[in-house]
Each structure stands twice: as structure tokens, then as C-alpha cells.
Amino acid sequence: MRGTTTADVVTIGHRKHALRMAAHASTRKPDKVRLLENGDEFFPRVLEVIAAARREILLETFILFEDEVGNALHAALIAAAKRGVEVDVTVDGYGSHALSRDFVDALTTGGVRLRVFDPSPQILGMRSRMFRRMHRKLLVVDGVHAFIGGINFAVDHLTDNGPRAKRDYAVELDGPAVAEIRAYMKATIADPGFSPGRRASRANAARVRLVIRDNRRHRDDIEIEYRRAIRAARREVIIANAYFFPGYRLLRALRAAARRGVRVVLLLQGQPDKPYTTFAARMLYRYLTSAGVRIYEYCERPFHGKVAVIDHDWATVGSSNLDPLSLSLNLEANIVVRDARFTAQLRERLLALIQRECRAIEPAELPPPTPLRAFAGFIVFHLLRRFPAWAGLLPAHTPTVALMEREDESTATRPARGPRRRWFTRALLALFLVVVAFLLYRQAQAVDWETVATTIAAYDGRALLLALGLAAASYLVYCGYDVLARRYAGHALATRRVIGIAFVSYAFNLNFGTLIGGAGFRLRLYARCGLPAATIARILGFSIATNWLGYVALAGGVLAARVVPIPSTWKLGADGLQALGFVLLVAAAGYLAVCAAFKERAWTVRGHEIRLPPVRLALAQLGLSAANWLTIAALLFVLLGEQTAYPLVLGVLLVSAIAGVLAHIPAGVGVIELVFLMLLGGTLPQHTIIAGLVVYRAVYYLAPLLAAVIVYVGLEASSRRTSQPADSDATR
């Protein structure tokens, strides 16, 4: 088992306290585990224990709302703090985004230390940083009582709250496990990114164990616990989970268990609070039921539980769903209980729920398989299989925890500076987002999606995966343009952010042209990071120069070598194009020579300073740009079935690129196809060329554009202006 231990906390200076707690725990009776179902059982018990607290209260929760439940907890925590109890509360900045200033001030004034995990700004009223959330629900009081589960502090966990009330579970612990949970919570207060070391051995005879998921050493501990228990199952597996969209290996373990005769039962949502989650889960039903897995949907109201029972002595309760967010991104905490009595109690509750309030999913009722569904299933399964690795590529940051303090009255009453300017900025942002949305809509309208889907479905799977890899490699190389430009322009933005901005700009540039993508998005995103207009202009100019430097060198070589057969109808002719090739080669060499000859030389043109890069930087420009064009040609070479010479494909690509620019058509729509058909029509069948270019559009233009929209939203959400206002208060 790879979980957390009290001893792990010595890494941040808690050795003495951890040893005292461990010694205290060893003298106590074994853990008592009490199941609490719904807020009706959970909230009264929590408030009772808090009211009796004498020394310490540690609380972590994803959601704390200002409603009947939140206000009752609010009053109990303040009362505890006023009688001398040390109270530490941590809430998630995304889940608990709506706490009012009065609510927070009452806590902090009353002596409660309130912390917000990754507080984030709202953009046009929308919450940001939706990934990598602190999703744990933990409470420890006086080092004696601990609570863990999936229940948030909100009124929608009470059954009398109507049809949208959520069904969920938590447990109360009393015993040695409390010390382990307390030590972990104290460590995360001291260091938000704390990740305990792994145990040397996976074997652990503890009756109750804490299992966490974080983004450092324990990325898959909870999923591993599930898979290990499922593989060891001999009689029965019952999993009740709100958001079910697990990884490929866990799905395969469930099917394998059912096929060897284990009774595998899934209790999932039928009336969800988020409809798209049920849509995703139902895509997996046929795959699971075909192996004998039994699926039930809870249809009375939203199901929010995250529990499981396996055989007679294994159970888990906690905050972790079985979906990509919980298994690959969020910070989660579960307990694993090896106890026949508790397992029997939880099993009895789940079976009663299945019998009274669930409907069985019959395989005969599922939609019949079709080629389109088979293709969608193929995509879904591979998405599931690869998601943990892909999730690591999402914008990440070191988690921060902000200690809330009472708002200073002088600050609170001082009028805000520049309200007109803020409203003007917001209006510009809204207009920019509307324009982006309109462009995306127009692009989507212009695409024949049925033809794209049919062509991709008919493609060889290995060739398609190789093409996707080459497309990703090309985008990564292109992002290197802006990384080089950072050195040239002299700014200090993080590499990760620079790559994100370059990726978004390139994807939009390919689909909508340089003015919108290459310039517009760079200007917007770099300005959001606090860079002045002059620096952004240097970045843009350097990146454009980098892109065309490699093109000029490669095109010069291809044309000079007469690689591309020129139609007789072209006025310039083969000799003319060869001469143009030599001119291009001289131009590329001349750029490098000028950079070497005029070190640190600057020219001023219409008030703008132009400074050539050092020759080493110029050589790096040439290398990166050439690598990008060569990679794009390799992508097309693969999609054309490798039925013609690679240099010929490279030459045709270079010719089509300049033709697309001269035509002033965004993405070169129609122009690239025309050039390829003209220059390769005598070498390849027409249908092969058209099919290859359709898939090329999909994997190199459309798919990255969809990803760029997501990355753009993330960049907008996390951007911070680094420059200070130019007034007398800037340094205060």
C-alpha cells in the first residue's frame, strides 16, 4: 500500500509530535469506524463533536456554502475559537468561491484561521482554475475524532432539501488512524504541496488506512487500491460512485473479475446533478455488461457517494470519484477499512438502496452497436487509457494557500481607483471573447464533419497515431520560437506560460490568419502577463522571422535541386524556379552573415528599434524553423501512405505554403489542396491525395484548435499582470 503515514511528517519538522501521537495511538483500543449516511447523520454528529472540542479543530472541505448548514458550522467554529480551541479551516478556492466578506471576517475576527486553497479570480463572472482542486473532506477534533468522506458543508446534502438533495456517505473514526490523518493535515497546513514519502513495503495490516491522491508522489494510489482489491476479489465487488469514467486498467479489472465468476455490481447516477457525467458513463455500459458486470442507476435524486465494498472485509469511503478529475488531477483522500462488521453494514445499506430506489440496466435495452458508436467507443477507450499522461500536460502550478485576514476598514472604505478604466477593460475582454466565439462558430460551420469522421474512421490506425505524434511534435517545435524570443526580447515569463501562449497563437494563426492568431492572441496573452507593447512587438517579429527563415532555406534548397516537377503552364518555368531557389539560399545565408557581422547593432525605423539577434540565436532560429517544416512534411508523407518520395512532399508543401499566403485565405483553404493535386496528380491517385489532406486538416488544424480554446481559457484564468500601476501608490 502506498499511503501516508505519521512518520512521513518528519520531513517537515514534526518528528517529536508524530512520535508522541503514535505512542498515544498504540496504547488505545483498535479503530472504531461509524458509518454516517447523508447530511442528516453527518452534520449533527460533526456539530456535536465540535461543540465538545477542547484543544484543536482541523477541517478541510471542498465546499462551504453560506446556507443553513454552513451558517451552523460557522457559529460552532467561532464558539470553539472563543473558548480557546485552536481552529484551522481550509476550503478550496474553486468549490467555496462565493463566501461573503462578512462571513469570512466573522471567522477571522473570532479567532478561526481560515485558509483558501488556490484562490483564483473570476473572469466575466466565471470561476477559473477548475483543474487540480483540493477535493478532500477531512475533520479532526482534539486528535481523538476524525471524519472523512464525500459530504460537503452545504444544505443540498440534507434529504429534506427536495428532489436535488444528494445522497452520500462519510465515516467517523476513533483510534490510531486519527493520529495519521491529523499528522497529514498538519503537514499540509505547513506546506500546501506536501507529499509524503512512499512506504518501502505495500503490505500493511492496519485495520484503517488513509490513502491520498496528489500531483507528486501519490498520483495513482487510490486507483491502485481499487485495482488491487478487485483483482483479489473472490465473491463480490460493489462500487457506488457518483462520477464513473475510470481509467482503462480499472475497467479491464472489473471485466476480468466478472468473467471469473465474481459478482460485480456498479451503482451509478440516474438523475445526476451534472447530466454530462451520466452521458459519459453510459458510453461504457455495453463494454461492461458484455462481460457480466451488473449496473444499477439510482434515480430518486442525485447520487454523490464514493464508496465500495469488496468481499467480506474490504471497504473504502472518501472523496475520490472514479473519473479523470479525481483519478488524475484533484487532491483526494479516502480510507480503506479491513473490517467484516463495517463492510457488512455498508454492503447492507447499498443493497437496500439498489433494491428500493434503483433500476437495473438490462443489456437488451442498450442502443445497438453501429459503426459510428464503435468509432466513438474506440476514441473513448483510448482517451481513458491515455488521460493520466495527458492530464500532466495541463497548465500546472505550485499550489498556494492564502490565509484570510479581516479586511482593513480604511482599505474597505477607500474608493477603488479607475472604475471607468476597469469597466472599459472588461468590455474589451468581452468583445474579444465574442469575436473568438464567432470565429470558432464560422470555422465549425465551414467544416464537413461527416466527411472528416468517415475519412478518419477508414484510416489505418497506426498511421493515424503516427500522424498525431508528428503534429504534436511540430507544435512543440513551433512553441520553441517564442522560447527563443524570450531571450531575444529580454522578458522573464515562465517557459510553461510562453509555450501555452505560442501554442494558442499558432493554432489560431493556422485557422484564422496571422492578424488574429499570430498577432492578436500574442498581444492579448502577453499583455495579460504584464509585458509592454514594445516587448510583445519584438517577440512577434522574432517569431515570424524564425518561421520564414527555415522556410527560405528549405525552399531554396528544394527549388535549386529541382525536386518539384513544375507544370508547363507555369510562366516562371523550372529554370526560373531554380534561380529563385539560389536567391533564397543566398538570402538565408545573408541573414546569418549580417547577424554575425553586426553584433548588438540596432537601427531605428519610424521610432521602433530593430536589433539583430546574435549569430548563435540566428542559427537556433534556422534549426528550429527547418525542423518544423520538415516535421510537417513528414506528417503529410505519412498521411499520403508513404507512396511517393519524401523530398517531393516537402517541396510541394513549401510551394503550397507560399501560395496560401499570397492568396490571403485563412488556413489556405482550397489553395493547398489545389497545389497538391496539380503537383502530385501524376504521382498519386486523386482520392489518396484528397483523403490525406482531409485528415491533415483534422489533425493539424482542427484538433489543435479545439485544444487551443481550452488552453486559452486556462491562460486567461491564471494570468496576472506583473507590472504595477504607474502612480504614487504603486510601491505601497
Side-chain angles (χ1 to χ4, degrees):
M1 156 62 194
R2 297 185 295 172
T4 57
T5 65
T6 303
D8 289 325
V9 187
V10 302
T11 57
I12 58 170
H14 291 85
R15 180 185 296 273
K16 292 183 179 180
H17 179 77
L19 292 175
R20 285 199 303 270
M21 293 301 296
H24 175 64
S26 66
T27 63
R28 298 180 58 183
K29 54 188 177 182
D31 291 293
K32 289 183 179 179
V33 186
R34 177 185 178 186
L35 181 64
L36 301 170
E37 189 170 0
N38 298 324
D40 307 80
E41 295 181 1
F42 178 72
F43 297 139
R45 181 56 184 158
V46 164
L47 294 175
E48 178 185 355
V49 171
I50 289 177
R54 293 294 175 264
R55 299 187 306 276
E56 178 187 70
I57 297 172
L58 304 175
L59 172 64
E60 286 185 351
T61 185
F62 177 59
I63 289 176
L64 172 60
F65 284 163
E66 288 185 59
D67 53 23
E68 175 186 334
V69 170
N71 289 330
L73 177 67
H74 183 265
L77 293 174
I78 292 174
K82 287 183 176 179
R83 65 176 181 266
V85 179
E86 293 188 6
V87 183
D88 285 278
V89 177
T90 303
V91 299
D92 183 74
Y94 182 88
S96 303
H97 67 287
L99 298 180
S100 70
R101 191 71 245 179
D102 290 342
F103 188 92
V104 171
D105 283 350
L107 286 173
T108 55
T109 303
V112 176
R113 290 188 289 267
L114 175 65
R115 295 172 174 84
V116 179
F117 183 92
D118 261 5
S120 55
Q122 293 191 23
I123 298 177
L124 297 179
M126 297 183 295
R127 287 175 285 175
S128 57
R129 288 190 185 172
M130 63 180 299
F131 298 119
R132 306 182 191 277
R133 301 175 291 191
M134 197 285 293
H135 198 243
R136 301 186 294 255
K137 291 93 175 173
L138 297 170
L139 170 64
V140 174
V141 177
D142 288 343
V144 175
H145 302 281
F147 297 83
I148 182 172
I151 301 177
N152 291 297
F153 288 95
V155 75
D156 59 5
H157 285 277
L158 294 171
T159 55
D160 62 359
N161 192 48
R164 305 310 297 168
K166 299 175 182 177
R167 179 174 290 277
D168 208 340
Y169 302 87
V171 296
E172 179 184 359
L173 301 173
D174 179 5
V178 177
E180 181 179 5
I181 297 172
R182 178 190 181 275
Y184 175 70
M185 295 181 72
K186 293 291 285 185
T188 57
I189 289 174
D191 176 8
F194 173 71
S195 182
R198 297 182 182 274
R199 285 194 173 101
S201 172
R202 292 185 177 184
N204 192 324
R207 184 165 172 261
V208 177
R209 292 177 287 127
L210 174 67
V211 189
I212 66 165
R213 203 220 78 82
D214 60 28
N215 292 307
R216 295 180 64 190
R217 298 187 181 97
H218 303 277
R219 295 174 181 269
D220 54 2
D221 286 21
I222 292 176
E223 183 180 358
I224 285 175
E225 283 294 328
Y226 268 99
R227 296 205 311 264
R228 186 179 301 140
I230 293 168
R231 287 197 299 265
R234 294 294 174 262
R235 295 188 304 177
E236 184 180 63
V237 173
I238 302 177
I239 295 176
N241 209 271
Y243 307 120
F244 185 81
F245 204 60
Y248 186 75
R249 288 180 292 181
L250 198 150
L251 288 173
R252 193 165 54 185
L254 289 172
R255 281 170 53 94
R259 284 174 170 168
R260 66 174 182 267
V262 177
R263 181 174 183 263
V264 180
V265 177
L266 298 179
L267 195 168
L268 308 176
Q269 292 202 69
Q271 297 292 331
D273 54 344
K274 300 177 179 64
Y276 66 86
T277 60
T278 296
F279 172 79
R282 286 173 179 167
M283 295 185 69
L284 307 174
Y285 283 6
R286 181 169 292 279
Y287 176 77
L288 292 167
T289 56
S290 65
V293 176
R294 305 178 190 184
I295 301 176
Y296 296 87
E297 287 187 344
Y298 177 71
C299 299
E300 294 298 314
R301 46 199 175 93
F303 185 80
H304 199 252
K306 307 100 170 51
V307 301
V309 172
I310 297 179
D311 287 346
H312 67 284
D313 69 342
W314 189 98
T316 186
V317 180
S319 66
S320 179
N321 294 297
L322 293 177
D323 71 340
L325 281 178
S326 282
L327 295 178
S328 301
L329 293 170
N330 289 346
L331 308 184
E332 306 283 1
N334 277 33
I335 59 161
V336 171
V337 181
R338 303 303 299 266
D339 177 73
R341 184 195 63 79
F342 176 80
T343 301
Q345 181 188 16
L346 179 55
R347 178 180 183 273
E348 180 182 353
R349 298 273 188 103
L350 294 176
L351 291 179
L353 193 64
I354 289 173
Q355 184 177 5
R356 295 194 313 266
E357 302 178 36
C358 295
R359 71 178 185 92
I361 301 298
E362 300 296 339
E365 299 174 359
L366 296 174
T370 64
L372 181 60
R373 289 195 180 96
F375 176 69
F378 171 83
I379 297 298
V380 167
F381 281 129
H382 283 278
L383 173 65
L384 291 172
R385 190 174 185 181
R386 305 294 181 188
F387 186 87
W390 292 346
L393 302 178
L394 290 171
H397 57 277
T398 302
T400 60
V401 172
L403 178 62
M404 303 302 291
E405 297 179 354
R406 191 175 190 279
E407 191 175 69
D408 182 70
E409 292 184 0
S410 62
T411 302
T413 57
R414 187 174 61 203
R417 292 195 303 266
R420 291 183 179 178
R421 181 178 178 182
R422 283 202 305 273
W423 279 110
F424 179 71
T425 302
R426 291 174 182 175
L428 284 179
L429 172 59
L431 178 62
F432 185 79
L433 294 177
V434 168
V435 171
V436 170
F438 174 74
L439 290 173
L440 291 173
Y441 172 76
R442 289 289 300 273
Q443 185 76 345
Q445 291 289 96
V447 175
D448 185 350
W449 294 104
E450 185 176 353
T451 301
V452 171
T454 304
T455 306
I456 292 176
Y459 237 84
D460 177 70
R462 287 175 296 181
L464 192 57
L465 289 175
L466 179 57
L468 288 169
L470 288 169
S474 171
Y475 271 80
L476 184 61
V477 172
Y478 182 90
C479 292
Y481 297 2
D482 280 38
V483 175
L484 278 183
R486 177 178 60 181
R487 180 178 174 185
Y488 171 74
H491 67 82
L493 291 183
T495 301
R496 181 175 62 247
R497 185 168 298 278
V498 171
I499 289 175
I501 294 173
F503 170 74
V504 170
S505 301
Y506 188 40
F508 276 87
N509 179 48
L510 286 176
N511 287 276
F512 302 115
T514 302
L515 183 61
I516 294 171
F521 274 86
R522 275 193 176 93
L523 179 62
R524 166 66 189 169
L525 293 172
Y526 278 123
R528 284 280 290 163
C529 296
L531 297 189
T535 301
I536 300 173
R538 287 168 64 86
I539 296 171
L540 177 60
F542 184 89
S543 297
I544 293 175
T546 301
N547 183 62
W548 290 107
L549 176 61
Y551 176 90
V552 166
L554 287 175
V558 166
L559 295 178
R562 296 196 178 196
V563 171
V564 180
I566 302 302
S568 58
T569 55
W570 286 30
K571 295 181 179 180
L572 192 58
D575 292 337
L577 284 178
Q578 186 179 40
L580 176 61
F582 286 118
V583 171
L584 293 176
L585 287 174
V586 170
Y591 174 78
L592 297 175
V594 170
C595 289
F598 295 95
K599 285 185 178 181
E600 305 300 325
R601 180 71 180 271
W603 293 267
T604 301
V605 179
R606 295 185 178 181
H608 297 283
E609 183 183 80
I610 299 176
R611 185 183 299 274
L612 290 173
V615 67
R616 290 186 178 180
L617 206 56
L619 288 170
Q621 286 181 280
L622 175 61
L624 271 180
S625 179
N628 187 34
W629 287 102
L630 291 170
T631 304
I632 299 172
L635 165 61
L636 283 163
F637 178 67
V638 169
L639 293 177
L640 293 173
E642 304 180 21
Q643 298 179 35
T644 188
Y646 171 76
L648 176 59
V649 176
L650 172 63
V652 176
L653 167 68
L654 296 172
V655 172
S656 68
I658 195 62
V661 172
L662 294 176
H664 297 290
I665 299 175
V669 175
V671 178
I672 296 176
E673 286 78 2
L674 178 61
V675 172
F676 267 80
L677 287 171
M678 289 180 61
L679 298 183
L680 292 182
T683 307
L684 294 175
Q686 185 175 1
H687 67 85
T688 300
I689 298 173
I690 294 175
L693 293 176
V694 167
V695 179
Y696 171 65
R697 291 282 184 187
V699 302
Y700 200 70
Y701 286 71
L702 300 180
L705 179 62
L706 296 177
V709 172
I710 298 173
V711 175
Y712 169 67
V713 172
L715 289 170
E716 284 281 3
S718 61
S719 291
R720 296 287 187 274
R721 289 193 179 274
T722 57
S723 58
Q724 295 289 338
D727 56 35
S728 58
D729 296 328
T731 58
R732 290 183 184 178

